């Protein structure tokens, strides 16, 4: 697709132009797309202005002095409440009047397009169109009551006298009064008449009608500040805030329409997350429930610390709870529950599947208990004996500050030295060059692994204790019952463990500031204690990093919209010019977005930037890993994720992936696989991540971006041109920065063209002989394994008496049949018919002769061909002469009913073995009934590989037999009856797969036989009626084909021993089949060492072989720009949930080699994205 593909197609453009005015005004539908009577629009205008009318009545009564302000508010609110109830009752009446049976209503984003037939001004269709009504009765009452309260408080909020007191300006009063009521009317209409579709949409479905409460909530927030100002006298800060908010109040419809203000669900989740992280020192959580529980516990801890009377008690309480809350409590709880269950029901607990959960046992418990004990002892001793001195250059706290500065520098160096690029700009000279294999990489990285171990010790043990020493020596802790001390120090005592690296940076910054600023009169020293300083520094650090990341993202979009030719649209030059001219406004947008911790939204991923609404760091509302677009490729990710998680565990602990925080994104690449990793939680010695797998069937867009990813990783890890020290990163500015490579146990995928092998006449000529050998081995192994259930010949005899009347025979067989019984079809009967044959004869003349030879391997009896629809009769003896009555009977017999072939019973005489143990290796009787001619039996007897057969028997041990003669194997080899069974079994399979021709099979026939898609034949029909035998034959043929490929590639098989080794390796280490087989997926999950599949490309006319090999290989990992991902996901959410732009060829999903736009869309949670695999939350221990 070209760069000028429409952002929205014509249909969606019209839809968007109808929806956006509705969103702006709060719900009125003035642009319908079809002709509607004028009263439809007039009614909507009247209902839109109704709150203003009731508010105007109250305002007029107040201005005339008739009523007090609060009475007028109550009057206006009461009138609005009654009006809202009447409107809702009208809707219910209209529904009952016109609809007798109605489907349950489900919120649908396309209801804007429904056409209505209007009959009158107040007709039922008109009412239902203007007032859709509520799904729940409780919402009917609650929303009506809320509408009354909103109108009453709005009247009070916008009283002209009140506004004049705030601004002392008549013009300003009029403006605020008029446009303020417009704001209230949009909120009321959305609440009680028709809820507008909001541009800020977090959930795909509004199940509980929460969207209607969004606008009233924000209006109430503004009014709450005004009420606080009314009742709090002489508070200049509140007065100034109220003045500012009255002006912002006028722009609320614009903020709602632009999607800057978040919906209520996203608002509360985002608020709890921000308070937990920056106010209480915690970490964002992976689920809403965990977030709520952790927020309540953390807030309770901060509140409880306020009431502790002793400074020492406060120190111990903050240190202890800070450490405990930073642990992975959900996993510890799971381990405790698992332990309790195991004590109560040990048999059940052994079968519990724990997956990748942390094995929290005594070792971890003792480690955590020891660390906690030393932390409490250190904090109490230092505070008790050295915590009273003020900060100076020689004070104990300053000395600890110097140690912290040194620690920060060492840890920063040790972290950067393990990454392939320093700062993402210059290649690290210490990183191994030309990394291609695991052995070479592990050898070269041995020194870096030692560096990682040192850093892990410094991060896990040394740094937290050093920071606790700094905090325990602070004089601010002497001030008991201070809210600022409780909040600030509760936060930092927890952050020391929860987010050690950022806590260390914050403390170092505060320490340096204290060293440089000793002036006691400065506000930094006068008004703020150390805890609040650290809180402010932490917020500032986070927002500055977000600002820089968002700025990089914006610049990348601006530059690539011109430098990437495929992204250059006709409007690109204009958009770049506008961004340059209004660059200060762009910086303001980025700053506001960073301040709110909300994504920077590039509209349609063009250089048109908006401020997205704040949302949780995981970006999506659903539970982690709950949904994915599962397909046949999913299994490859399921197999590799456990090994990848272990590799990630080591890399995160060592620091080779850089600073990983909740919200960090990583991209892993191996061959055609792309893994997207999102960090969701992080605490002391643990990290919670989600791993997604992207599709393997590459589209053109997917392939273009994947190719650029490969270029980046090859440049970083494989090219030999890094001879210069600190050579630059040629792809600096790309949202992906390579970090390191990880050794992961997974399948490598090799695809080869089999031209010259499958179409080689020499190879195909030996295929049948090899198939016979493989099939003999397969049948012997099958019978041998089955014989292990028998312990002795006596047991075999007992089984024989019970089940072996059905045993197959190896001598000539003559069956006795009743009159008119049919035999199975035999190919020999074709030769028996001649042109002189009488179709009314019982049998062709050739059949009158006895063809049986003593000692011949019996075939199934032959049956004559018949006229369709006729019923044949047969007898043991055919008389030479027939009476007229007999001839008449023969003619009449044509009209008899057809005989049901399925009811005939085949009875085979018992096979006489020369060795009593041969019964153990006898093949089942039903496998010996194939309709093959005797001539083919003789031919097979000559082709049968007797030496190979004897060699296979000689390899059997029969260890499972308690008593066995020493010459058992020799007796088995001499048993001709047993050999005849195998001859007939092999012939039956060859007849089913190849027919009776001796021609060399064509490559197409080989392919069809491999896939089990052979055209129908009599032999195949018989073979498929024996499912177990058919599967054995198919398996043997696939082994034979793999053997043919191996012989062509590696050379001929020298002896029988080597051939057995081949076959045993296929049996134990290989799965040979088709990619589409269910067994293929099971083999991948069971981690079979090798898998082989045969394929065919009809377009190219070539046959291909695919080999998967399980081995430890290097997976390349890079860090993504977090804000670039969040920004593109925010645009995706807006574009699909609001603009409903689900066109598969839309501009915002086209390939972008720098932004990785297509891959980023894929990695979004369904239904907006389409990853083929998404893991549950994986808890990775980092110690």
């Amino acid at each position: 697709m070209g760069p000028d593909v429409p952002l929205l197609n014509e249909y969606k453009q019209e839809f968007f132009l109808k929806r956006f005015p509705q969103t702006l005004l709060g719900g009125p539908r003035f642009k319908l797309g079809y002709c509607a009577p004028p009263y439809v629009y007039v009614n909507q205008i009247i209902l839109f202005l109704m709150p203003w009318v009731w508010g105007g009545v109250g305002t007029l009564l107040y201005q005339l002095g008739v009523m007090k302000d609060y009475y007028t508010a109550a009057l206006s609110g009461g009138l609005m409440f009654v009006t809202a109830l009447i409107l809702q009752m009208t809707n219910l009446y209209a529904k009952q009047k016109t609809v007798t049976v109605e489907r349950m209503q489900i919120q649908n984003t396309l209801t804007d397009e429904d056409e209505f037939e209007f009959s009158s001004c107040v007709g039922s269709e008109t009412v239902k169109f203007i007032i859709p009504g509520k799904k729940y009765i409780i919402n009917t009452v609650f929303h009506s009551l809320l509408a009354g309260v909103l109108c009453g408080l709005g009247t009070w909020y916008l009283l002209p006298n009140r506004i004049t007191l705030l601004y002392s300006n008549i013009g300003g009063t009029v403006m605020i009064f008029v446009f303020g009521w417009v704001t209230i009317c949009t909120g009321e209409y959305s609440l009680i008449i028709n809820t507008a579709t909001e541009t800020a949409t977090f959930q795909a479905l509004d199940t509980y009608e929460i969207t209607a409460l969004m606008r009233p909530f924000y209006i109430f927030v503004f009014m709450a500040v005004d009420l606080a100002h009314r009742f709090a006298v002489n508070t200049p800060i509140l007065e100034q805030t109220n003045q500012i908010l009255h002006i912002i109040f006028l722009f609320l419809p614009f903020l709602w329409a632009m999607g800057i203000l978040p919906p209520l669900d996203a608002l509360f989740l985002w608020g709890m997350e921000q308070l937990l992280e920056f106010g209480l020192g915690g970490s964002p959580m992976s689920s809403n429930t965990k977030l709520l529980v952790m927020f309540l516990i953390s807030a309770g801890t901060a509140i409880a610390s306020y009431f502790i009377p002793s400074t020492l008690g406060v120190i111990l309480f903050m240190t202890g709870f800070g450490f405990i809350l930073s642990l992975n409590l959900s996993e510890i709880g799971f381990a405790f529950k698992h332990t309790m269950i195991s004590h109560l029901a040990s048999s059940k607990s052994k079968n519990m599947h724990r997956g990748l959960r942390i094995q929290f046992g005594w070792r971890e418990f003792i480690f955590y208990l020891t660390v906690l004990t030393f932390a409490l002892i250190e904090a109490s001793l230092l505070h008790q004996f050295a915590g009273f001195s003020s900060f100076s250059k020689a004070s104990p706290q300053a000395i600890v500050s110097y140690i912290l500065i040194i620690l920060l520098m060492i840890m920063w160096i040790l972290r950067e030295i393990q990454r392939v690029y320093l700062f993402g700009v210059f290649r690290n000279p210490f990183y191994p060059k030309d990394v291609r294999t695991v052995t070479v990489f592990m050898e070269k990285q041995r020194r870096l692994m030692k560096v990682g171990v040192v850093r892990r010790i410094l991060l896990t043990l040394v740094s937290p204790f050093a920071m606790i020493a700094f905090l325990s020596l602070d004089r601010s802790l002497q001030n008991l019952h201070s809210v600022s001390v409780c909040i600030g120090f509760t936060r930092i005592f927890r952050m020391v463990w929860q987010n050690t690296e950022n806590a260390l940076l914050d403390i170092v910054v505060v320490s340096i500031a204290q060293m440089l600023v000793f002036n006691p009169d400065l506000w930094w020293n006068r008004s703020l204690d150390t805890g609040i300083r650290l809180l402010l520094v932490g917020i500032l650090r986070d927002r500055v990093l977000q600002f820089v990341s968002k700025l990089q993202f914006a610049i990348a979009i601006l530059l690539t919209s011109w430098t990437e030719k495929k992204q250059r649209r006709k409007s690109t030059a204009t958009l770049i010019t506008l961004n340059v001219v209004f660059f200060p406004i762009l910086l303001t947008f980025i700053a506001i977005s960073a301040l709110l911790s909300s994504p920077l939204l590039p509209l349609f991923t063009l250089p048109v930037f908006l401020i997205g609404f704040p949302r949780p760091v995981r970006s999506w509302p659903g539970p982690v890993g709950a949904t994915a677009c599962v397909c046949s490729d999913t299994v490859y990710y399921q197999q590799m994720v456990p090994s990848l998680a272990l590799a990630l565990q080591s890399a995160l602990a060592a620091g080779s992936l850089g600073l990983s925080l909740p919200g960090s994104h990583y991209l892993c690449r191996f061959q055609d696989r792309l893994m997207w990793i999102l960090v969701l939680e992080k605490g002391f010695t643990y990290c919670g991540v989600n791993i997604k797998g992207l599709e393997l069937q590459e589209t053109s867009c997917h392939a273009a971006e994947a190719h650029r990813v490969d270029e980046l990783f090859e440049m970083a890890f494989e090219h030999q041109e890094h001879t210069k020290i600190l050579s630059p990163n040629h792809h600096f500015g790309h949202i992906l920065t390579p970090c390191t490579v990880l050794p992961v146990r997974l399948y490598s995928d090799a695809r080869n063209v089999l031209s010259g092998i499958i179409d080689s006449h020499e190879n195909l000529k030996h295929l049948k002989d090899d198939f016979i050998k493989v099939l003999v081995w397969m049948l012997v192994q099958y019978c041998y394994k089955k014989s292990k259930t028998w312990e002795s010949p006596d047991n075999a005899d007992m089984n024989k008496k019970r089940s072996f009347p059905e045993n197959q025979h190896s001598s000539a067989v003559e069956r006795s049949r009743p009159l008119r019984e049919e035999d199975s079809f035999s190919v020999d009967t074709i030769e028996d018919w001649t042109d002189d044959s009488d179709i009314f004869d019982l049998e062709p003349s050739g059949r009158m002769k006895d063809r049986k030879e003593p000692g011949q391997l019996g075939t199934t009896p032959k049956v004559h061909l018949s006229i369709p629809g006729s019923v044949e009769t047969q007898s043991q003896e055919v008389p030479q002469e027939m009476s007229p009555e007999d001839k008449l009977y023969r003619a009449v017999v044509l009209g008899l009913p057809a005989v049901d072939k399925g009811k005939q019973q085949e009875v085979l005489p018992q096979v006489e073995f020369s060795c009593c143990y041969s019964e153990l290796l006898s093949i089942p009787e039903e496998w010996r009934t194939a309709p093959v001619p005797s001539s083919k039996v003789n031919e097979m007897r000559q082709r049968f590989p007797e030496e190979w057969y004897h060699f296979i028997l000689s390899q059997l041990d029969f260890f499972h037999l308690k008593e066995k003669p020493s010459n058992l194997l020799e007796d088995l080899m001499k048993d001709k009856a047993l050999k005849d069974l195998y001859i007939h079994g092999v012939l039956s399979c060859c007849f089913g797969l190849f027919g009776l021709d001796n021609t060399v099979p064509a490559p197409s026939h080989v392919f069809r036989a491999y896939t089990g898609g052979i055209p129908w034949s009599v032999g195949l029909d018989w073979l498929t009626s024996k499912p177990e035998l058919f599967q054995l034959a198919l398996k043997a043929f696939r082994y034979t084909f793999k053997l043919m490929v191996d012989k062509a590639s590696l050379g001929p098989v020298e002896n029988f021993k080597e051939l057995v080794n081949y076959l045993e390796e296929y049996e134990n280490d290989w799965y040979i089949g088709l990619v589409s087989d269910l067994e293929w997926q099971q083999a991948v999950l069971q981690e079979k060492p090798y898998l082989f599949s045969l394929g065919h490309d009809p377009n190219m006319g070539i046959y291909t072989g695919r080999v998967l090999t399980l081995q430890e290989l290097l997976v390349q990992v890079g860090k993504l720009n977090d804000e670039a991902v969040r920004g593109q996901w925010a645009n995706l959410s807006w574009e699909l949930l609001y603009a409903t732009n689900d066109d598969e060829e839309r501009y915002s999903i086209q390939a972008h080699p720098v932004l990785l736009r297509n891959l980023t869309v894929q990695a979004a949670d369904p239904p907006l994205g389409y990853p083929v695999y998404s893991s549950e939350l994986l808890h990775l221990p980092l110690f």
Side-chain angles (χ1 to χ4, degrees), residues 677-689:
I677 301 169
L678 170 60
V679 180
L680 294 165
E681 300 178 14
K682 196 167 185 187
F684 183 64
T685 67
Y686 89 95
C687 183
V689 302

Side-chain angles (χ1 to χ4, degrees), residues 358-373:
I358 297 175
Q359 299 291 333
F360 186 84
W362 287 107
R363 182 175 67 90
E364 291 79 10
F365 177 76
I366 293 173
F367 171 74
Y368 288 145
L369 185 62
T370 304
V371 172
L372 176 60
T373 304

Side-chain angles (χ1 to χ4, degrees), residues 51 53 110 123 147 331 381 478 562 623 636 660 684 790 802 837 952 985 1015 1149 1179:
V53 172
L110 296 179
E331 285 304 293
L381 291 178
Q478 303 298 329
W562 184 261
Y636 302 111
S660 57
F684 183 64
W790 300 346
R802 183 173 62 243
S837 300
I952 295 173
I1149 204 175
H1179 300 270

